[in-house]
Amino acid sequence: MDQPDVASRIYHLQLERACLRAVRAMLRGRVDAGPQAMAEVERALVDIEPAIRDAEAAATEAPMARLAARFGLSASERDFLWTAVAAVADPRWMVHATALVGSEARRGLSLALYGVVSDADADAGRALALRLTPAHPLLRYQLLESGD
């Protein structure tokens, strides 16, 4: 598979994972959600992880891999960025985010919303927040915008 095909596959897999995580977070908050629905989402998340790892391993020149290398992004920063991409590029993500936090989701991905959908613990969320200062390259070069 050539690099553009792999990059496209990574893009679609990452957006799918972001949507699945949002669905999982939404299902956790619903009392009427059956265990079968949650099990299906969890199974899909487990299945997508090796596909993402394999595609990323084969795509050292994919746009996100180059960006991550150039800016020295950590795994959590890359994951946050992929989730931010899903928030603007995949309408399904916004539907699930709105179900989670209401109209606040229209403002975009917040660290709090990311923490909910990514299952980040408080320490990991705080560490990410401390790294994403205005001096961070993703903010400095306006790939991400601060919502303050």
Side-chain angles (χ1 to χ4, degrees):
M1 196 178 290
D2 64 2
Q3 289 292 321
D5 290 341
V6 174
S8 178
R9 178 161 169 69
I10 293 168
Y11 175 81
H12 291 290
L13 288 167
Q14 288 285 4
L15 265 57
E16 185 63 23
R17 178 172 67 174
C19 284
L20 287 166
R21 290 161 100 185
V23 169
R24 178 182 61 193
M26 185 185 67
L27 288 173
R28 285 185 180 144
R30 294 184 54 146
V31 293
D32 62 338
Q36 181 179 1
M38 182 62 86
E40 288 176 22
V41 171
E42 292 290 354
R43 189 169 33 259
L45 280 164
V46 167
D47 291 346
I48 206 167
E49 290 301 327
I52 290 171
R53 272 193 311 277
D54 292 348
E56 287 181 340
T60 57
E61 292 302 312
M64 185 64 81
R66 289 194 324 260
L67 182 72
R70 177 165 212 137
F71 289 160
L73 301 181
S74 68
S76 62
E77 290 165 335
R78 286 191 313 272
D79 189 57
F80 182 83
L81 185 55
W82 274 120
T83 306
V85 168
V88 297
D90 193 330
R92 299 172 305 159
W93 195 93
M94 187 55 65
V95 169
H96 305 310
T98 301
L100 283 167
V101 296
S103 63
E104 182 69 22
R106 284 184 268 153
R107 294 186 63 200
L109 180 65
S110 66
L111 286 165
L113 180 54
Y114 173 74
V116 170
V117 299
S118 71
D119 279 343
D121 63 28
D123 290 337
R126 179 168 163 47
L128 181 60
L130 290 173
R131 284 193 310 274
L132 290 177
T133 66
H136 191 284
L138 292 175
L139 292 159
R140 184 173 60 232
Y141 296 114
Q142 299 177 344
L143 295 168
L144 294 175
E145 291 181 359
S146 176
D148 32 331

